[in-house]
Amino acid sequence: MVFKWRRRASGKSAPSRQATAEGDAQQRFSDLMDLHGASLRAAVYQSCPEELRQHLEDIEQEARLRIWKAIQAERKFNNPKSYIYKVGVNATRDAVAKLRGRGAVETQLEPSTPETAPPAEEGTAGTDPRLWRRQVMASLERCLAKLAENRQLAVRLHLQGFSNQEVADMLSWSEPKARNLIYRGLTDLRRTLSEEGIDYEAPS
């Protein structure tokens, strides 16, 4: 009797358990990005200082990689939108710290800041409203960055037009906590803006 060895064909006739799990993970990732990709992009954009926004694409890719790894680890998300927003914020903060540690922050925007821009004469028709807006937005960003972490995040969402309850849902807080942080954050923001000579009324 002659015995002949042959390769097992089971791997070809049916997908392995690992391949099936990989496919499921890819589908889950794709579904999450379809639903909440815009929230991730917004979190990265809003958390990134203006002078580092040339790195937005790289930061977003890092955030997506973190989400992919969490899915591969079969992590469950009770509130996917909130989780993805947090990943975007955390990935951006880590990237900013790394870039600043390498001295990657450019000073090219200094001429457009209130401290270094030449003062325009009051009432002159030549004042550029676009330059004024950039100066105000630069001041707003600096003042937001001075807020405590939770207050800053709550105020940024509030300024996007999210309600107290929506902020609470996104960040897994209670509504009273979100309301309190928004109120205190706006109070701090007005004070710091006032110190820069800007009177600001946030949307109610």
Side-chain angles (χ1 to χ4, degrees):
M1 182 179 295
V2 178
F3 292 94
K4 294 183 179 180
W5 294 99
R6 64 182 179 181
R7 294 182 179 179
R8 297 175 61 184
S10 59
K12 295 182 179 179
S13 61
S16 67
R17 183 178 301 177
Q18 181 178 356
T20 300
E22 186 78 6
D24 290 345
Q26 290 176 351
Q27 185 61 54
R28 186 182 174 201
F29 176 79
S30 178
D31 291 344
L32 277 174
M33 290 300 98
D34 287 344
L35 288 171
H36 305 299
S39 294
L40 176 64
R41 193 168 298 112
V44 171
Y45 182 84
Q46 291 148 14
S47 304
C48 187
E50 186 174 356
E51 66 269 23
L52 292 177
R53 283 182 180 162
Q54 69 269 30
H55 301 284
L56 284 175
E57 186 174 345
D58 291 338
I59 296 172
E60 183 178 344
Q61 287 303 315
E62 169 61 24
R64 285 173 176 262
L65 179 60
R66 294 185 184 191
I67 295 168
W68 169 246
K69 287 180 177 178
I71 289 174
Q72 284 187 310
E74 299 184 353
R75 179 169 178 177
K76 304 298 182 183
F77 311 138
N78 294 327
N79 188 330
K81 186 176 182 180
S82 174
Y83 172 77
I84 287 173
Y85 189 92
K86 288 180 181 179
V87 170
V89 171
N90 291 334
T92 305
R93 287 176 178 166
D94 291 346
V96 168
K98 186 180 298 184
L99 289 166
R100 285 179 168 164
R102 294 205 308 256
V105 178
E106 302 292 340
T107 58
Q108 60 192 22
L109 297 181
E110 288 184 0
S112 67
T113 60
E115 291 82 0
T116 58
E121 295 182 12
E122 186 175 355
T124 57
T127 302
D128 187 346
R130 290 173 299 179
L131 175 60
W132 176 85
R133 174 176 170 79
R134 286 199 298 270
Q135 293 174 351
V136 171
M137 293 306 295
S139 294
L140 177 60
E141 184 59 38
R142 282 197 305 276
C143 292
L144 278 169
K146 293 177 182 178
L147 302 182
E149 181 178 346
N150 281 350
R151 293 184 187 184
Q152 179 183 156
L153 188 53
V155 169
R156 285 183 183 278
L157 291 172
H158 175 76
L159 294 179
Q160 292 177 59
F162 290 104
S163 68
N164 294 349
Q165 187 60 59
E166 287 172 329
V167 173
D169 292 342
M170 291 177 69
L171 300 176
S172 301
W173 293 342
S174 65
E175 191 278 336
K177 177 178 178 178
R179 176 168 18 99
N180 181 61
L181 287 168
I182 290 170
Y183 174 80
R184 293 181 180 277
L186 288 174
T187 300
D188 292 344
L189 179 62
R190 291 189 184 98
R191 184 182 66 252
T192 52
L193 283 171
S194 179
E195 292 171 356
E196 295 208 10
I198 299 174
D199 292 327
Y200 178 75
E201 286 298 325
S204 56

